[in-house]
Amino acid sequence: MEIGKQRATAAAGEWGSRTGRNPLRKLWKYRALWILALPGILLLLVNNYLPMFGVFLAFKDFNFSRGIWGSAWNGLDNFKFMFTTNDIWYTIAHTIGYNLAFLVINTVLSVLVALLLNEVKNRAMSKFYQSTMLLPHFISMVVVAYLAFGFFNPELGFINKSILEPMGREGVSWYMEPQYWPYILTVVNIWKSVGFGSIIYLATIVGIDKEYYEAAMLDGAGKWKQMTKITLPFLIPVIIILTLLAIGRIFSADFGLFYQVTMNSGMLKSTTEVIDTYVYSALLVSGDTNLASAAGLLQSVVGFILVVSVNMVVKRVSNDNSLF
């Protein structure tokens, strides 16, 4: 009886390995791919998953001498304290407002620039334009901050010295005037982001089968008809995917943009304070680890809910264009 069971087990194992159901066999078969993916997997674990243990800090009264596990639980007190302060409300409003403005403006301009680049038939000039527009994306935000400082320096800045004063107008103390910075930050973000976004859309446009345009020209369609009836419908799935990804980050802001470019000027906080700078101030300036953890967890949870919710709406309207 035992011999029969052993034979049956061996036969089943051999059959499983032949049909590819043995996970170890599959792992060994694709070992080269796993080795290539290993650095990325380790980076993902270290940067994205290990810090998740810090979520407990949002529900604890953290004490450095006791550590994370030894500190006492305090439930939702950190969140209650965070929302009792007036700062968090205008911080949330700034974060959402800036991100919505960036999302709409950058999407429209990126698509427009991609359409214009597609019309450049000279290959050398097309490569030049693409490289020139892509360059700002790779410039460090620290460098961008000093480039902006060259324009807005109250004493020696280009705008005051070369534009306002020759016109007979008094120079502006830009880093003490918060009302100008929503527009300044929007322009800086456009300069840094639109080029990269346009390359993504241009890659989609280049991949469209030329037969569609040839058939449209035979039917007498001009450039405008070709763009609205062929190019834009092909771009819609890409626009939706990138919009969904951007919505997932709507509660997060570009820390470098709002901290470095503004030179962390306290006079500008009324219009430039966002959740990321708020968390930074809570953690490093005031040393409030509990508040910083609660704000960080709030960002992640709200971003996840927004992505799932918007994706459900897109799925009901057009299942083919949903992210998942």
Side-chain angles (χ1 to χ4, degrees), residues 6 9 11 74 83 88 121 126-127 132 183 188 198 207 218 227 229 237 313 315:
Q6 291 176 0
T9 305
N74 64 356
F83 283 102
I88 190 63
K121 302 307 179 183
S126 177
K127 295 294 182 182
T132 304
Y183 308 102
V188 172
S198 66
L218 289 175
M227 181 185 70
K229 301 299 182 181
V313 174
K315 197 169 186 177

Side-chain angles (χ1 to χ4, degrees), residues 14 16 74 142 197 317:
E14 184 180 355
N74 64 356
V142 177
V317 176

Side-chain angles (χ1 to χ4, degrees), residues 27-95:
L27 186 64
W28 179 254
K29 180 180 179 181
Y30 299 109
R31 61 189 181 278
L33 297 178
W34 281 106
I35 292 172
L36 288 173
L38 186 60
I41 295 173
L42 291 176
L43 185 65
L44 186 68
L45 290 174
V46 172
N47 284 350
N48 295 76
Y49 285 91
L50 286 180
M52 285 185 182
F53 290 103
V55 167
F56 292 110
L57 291 174
F59 306 97
K60 287 198 168 194
D61 184 11
F62 181 64
N63 187 306
F64 284 96
S65 61
R66 296 180 180 179
I68 296 178
W69 305 115
S71 300
W73 295 90
N74 64 356
L76 299 176
D77 289 350
N78 295 327
F79 294 92
K80 292 178 182 177
F81 175 75
M82 181 173 63
F83 283 102
T84 54
T85 60
N86 293 328
D87 294 346
I88 190 63
W89 294 109
Y90 76 73
T91 299
I92 291 175
H94 291 166
T95 306

Side-chain angles (χ1 to χ4, degrees), residues 2-316:
E2 290 295 331
I3 295 175
K5 287 183 178 180
Q6 291 176 0
R7 288 178 177 176
T9 305
E14 184 180 355
W15 180 83
S17 64
R18 288 178 180 176
T19 54
R21 294 186 179 182
N22 190 333
L24 294 177
R25 184 182 178 88
K26 278 190 172 182
L27 186 64
W28 179 254
K29 180 180 179 181
Y30 299 109
R31 61 189 181 278
L33 297 178
W34 281 106
I35 292 172
L36 288 173
L38 186 60
I41 295 173
L42 291 176
L43 185 65
L44 186 68
L45 290 174
V46 172
N47 284 350
N48 295 76
Y49 285 91
L50 286 180
M52 285 185 182
F53 290 103
V55 167
F56 292 110
L57 291 174
F59 306 97
K60 287 198 168 194
D61 184 11
F62 181 64
N63 187 306
F64 284 96
S65 61
R66 296 180 180 179
I68 296 178
W69 305 115
S71 300
W73 295 90
N74 64 356
L76 299 176
D77 289 350
N78 295 327
F79 294 92
K80 292 178 182 177
F81 175 75
M82 181 173 63
F83 283 102
T84 54
T85 60
N86 293 328
D87 294 346
I88 190 63
W89 294 109
Y90 76 73
T91 299
I92 291 175
H94 291 166
T95 306
I96 296 176
Y98 276 115
N99 281 325
L100 286 177
F102 294 164
L103 174 61
V104 174
I105 296 173
N106 288 355
T107 300
V108 172
L109 291 181
S110 295
V111 172
L112 179 61
V113 171
L115 293 171
L116 293 175
L117 287 175
N118 188 53
E119 295 301 318
V120 179
K121 302 307 179 183
N122 187 303
R123 187 176 180 83
M125 293 304 299
S126 177
K127 295 294 182 182
F128 173 76
Y129 292 143
Q130 292 177 38
S131 302
T132 304
M133 299 194 65
L134 192 59
L135 180 63
H137 177 75
F138 297 103
I139 297 177
S140 169
M141 195 58 78
V142 177
V143 178
V144 174
Y146 280 99
L147 289 174
F149 188 71
F151 280 90
F152 300 109
N153 186 326
E155 298 177 358
L156 302 172
F158 176 80
I159 294 181
N160 282 353
K161 286 294 181 182
S162 302
I163 298 178
L164 296 181
E165 291 182 6
M167 294 173 60
R169 300 184 60 180
E170 187 178 352
V172 178
S173 298
W174 296 99
Y175 291 92
M176 299 182 68
E177 301 290 343
Q179 69 270 22
Y180 299 113
W181 282 88
Y183 308 102
I184 295 173
L185 293 176
T186 301
V187 171
V188 172
N189 181 264
I190 290 172
W191 176 77
K192 202 169 189 308
S193 305
V194 167
F196 181 77
S198 66
I199 297 301
I200 296 175
Y201 293 118
L202 180 62
T204 305
I205 295 173
V206 172
I208 299 174
D209 195 338
K210 301 300 180 184
E211 292 183 359
Y212 290 107
Y213 295 101
E214 293 173 359
M217 285 188 288
L218 289 175
D219 290 337
K223 287 291 184 182
W224 178 257
K225 285 289 185 179
Q226 293 176 34
M227 181 185 70
T228 56
K229 301 299 182 181
I230 300 174
T231 308
L232 289 180
F234 273 99
L235 287 177
I236 286 176
V238 181
I239 293 173
I240 291 175
I241 291 174
L242 294 180
T243 301
L244 284 172
L245 295 175
I247 288 174
R249 299 189 300 271
I250 203 168
F251 244 61
S252 301
D254 188 338
F255 178 79
L257 177 65
F258 292 94
Y259 182 82
Q260 299 286 357
V261 176
T262 61
M263 296 293 178
N264 195 29
S265 174
M267 297 296 294
L268 307 180
K269 295 289 186 182
S270 60
T271 58
T272 62
E273 182 83 307
V274 291
I275 293 179
D276 292 75
T277 55
Y278 177 82
V279 171
Y280 176 82
S281 300
L283 182 59
L284 293 184
V285 178
S286 63
D288 195 338
T289 308
N290 304 327
L291 186 61
S293 301
L297 180 60
L298 179 67
Q299 281 183 298
S300 301
V301 172
V302 172
F304 173 77
I305 293 173
L306 285 173
V307 168
V308 174
S309 302
V310 175
N311 185 75
M312 289 175 62
V313 174
V314 173
K315 197 169 186 177
R316 293 179 71 90

